[in-house]
Amino acid sequence: MRTATIERKTNETEIRVSLNLDGTGQYTVSTGIGFLDHMLEQLSRHSLIDLTVEAKGDTHIDFHHTVEDSGIAIGQAFAKAIGGMKGITRYGDALIPMDETLTRVALDISGRPYLIWKVEFTRDKLGDFDTELFREWFQAFAFAAGITLHVENLYGINNHHMIESSFKALARALRKAVEIDPRKSDSVPSTKGTLGGTL
């Protein structure tokens, strides 16, 4: 089983993450931010990655540190669990509709982090959650996990649908990419013989 636990503690947040890449989508999430909890539950359920997140942060100031640091901690746990990337499918993509919204995610578990973010919201907040923080979470996750990640909302009106479809598309793309390829389970999926580092 490809599992990992990460504990991250700063002056702003204290976070513990456990995950299992070969799980069934079981989750226990508590960040103190309801909307973030809901999105991380979607991530776990649709990726089939078991996920436990316990986070305490300075949410009396704002949500920024908790959102960003949870992305970092989950990304670090993902990178630790995926290890040397031997046998993985490596690439994943998903096209997820949610009512009037359609979002596309494509990713490469490459060890070379990058984020393309093409999601434009029409509202500054969803409830008390700043919509600009969603990009912060995706960037923190991608860079800590070592993933090249492209997220694009093709169209949509409802901002809740736009972000939820982004998390669900990320989940489905991860589900594909972490799968072990039965035809090449004994090797790293790269002509270099290794993944990560510079281009």
Side-chain angles (χ1 to χ4, degrees), residues 85 90 108-114 142-143 145-148 195-198:
M85 306 179 215
R90 176 177 171 180
D108 175 13
I109 304 176
S110 60
R112 299 191 307 273
Y114 205 91
F143 275 70
I147 292 174
T148 298
L195 287 169
T198 58

Side-chain angles (χ1 to χ4, degrees), residues 60-71:
H60 63 286
I61 297 174
D62 66 13
F63 293 164
H64 186 281
H65 297 141
T66 303
V67 171
E68 183 176 37
D69 286 6
S70 69

Side-chain angles (χ1 to χ4, degrees), residues 85-89 179-189:
M85 306 179 215
K86 187 176 180 180
I88 64 170
T89 301
E179 287 291 324
I180 299 298
D181 185 342
R183 296 187 297 171
K184 274 292 185 181
S185 61
D186 60 341
S187 63
V188 173

Side-chain angles (χ1 to χ4, degrees), residues 10 12 28 61 95 110 132 141 174 176 191:
T10 72
E12 299 161 341
T28 302
I61 297 174
L95 196 61
S110 60
E132 68 179 9
F141 171 75
L174 284 172
K176 291 180 183 178
T191 54

Side-chain angles (χ1 to χ4, degrees), residues 120-174:
E120 294 185 10
F121 298 106
T122 58
R123 294 171 55 184
D124 292 333
K125 285 183 176 289
L126 287 174
D128 54 359
F129 196 110
D130 294 327
T131 50
E132 68 179 9
L133 293 181
F134 291 118
R135 185 186 187 281
E136 296 300 320
W137 187 91
F138 275 81
Q139 178 163 288
F141 171 75
F143 275 70
I147 292 174
T148 298
L149 176 59
H150 293 236
V151 183
E152 183 177 15
N153 174 241
L154 300 178
Y155 47 81
I157 298 171
N158 184 291
N159 288 260
H160 186 128
H161 294 167
M162 292 163 66
I163 192 57
E164 187 164 340
S165 62
S166 297
F167 272 91
K168 287 178 175 177
L170 171 61
R172 281 288 177 164
L174 284 172

Side-chain angles (χ1 to χ4, degrees), residues 17-29:
V17 171
S18 294
L19 60 75
N20 176 6
L21 298 180
D22 302 302
T24 59
Q26 300 297 309
Y27 54 81
T28 302
V29 178

Side-chain angles (χ1 to χ4, degrees), residues 24-98:
T24 59
Q26 300 297 309
Y27 54 81
T28 302
V29 178
S30 178
T31 67
I33 304 171
F35 199 95
L36 180 61
D37 288 355
H38 182 46
M39 293 303 102
L40 296 181
E41 289 165 359
Q42 298 294 334
L43 178 65
S44 172
R45 175 64 184 85
H46 293 282
S47 66
L48 300 184
I49 295 172
D50 292 346
L51 180 64
T52 298
V53 181
E54 300 170 9
K56 295 179 181 179
D58 55 0
T59 54
H60 63 286
I61 297 174
D62 66 13
F63 293 164
H64 186 281
H65 297 141
T66 303
V67 171
E68 183 176 37
D69 286 6
S70 69
I72 292 171
I74 294 169
Q76 288 174 335
F78 180 92
K80 184 177 179 181
I82 204 78
M85 306 179 215
K86 187 176 180 180
I88 64 170
T89 301
R90 176 177 171 180
Y91 296 99
D93 64 272
L95 196 61
I96 297 295
M98 190 169 182

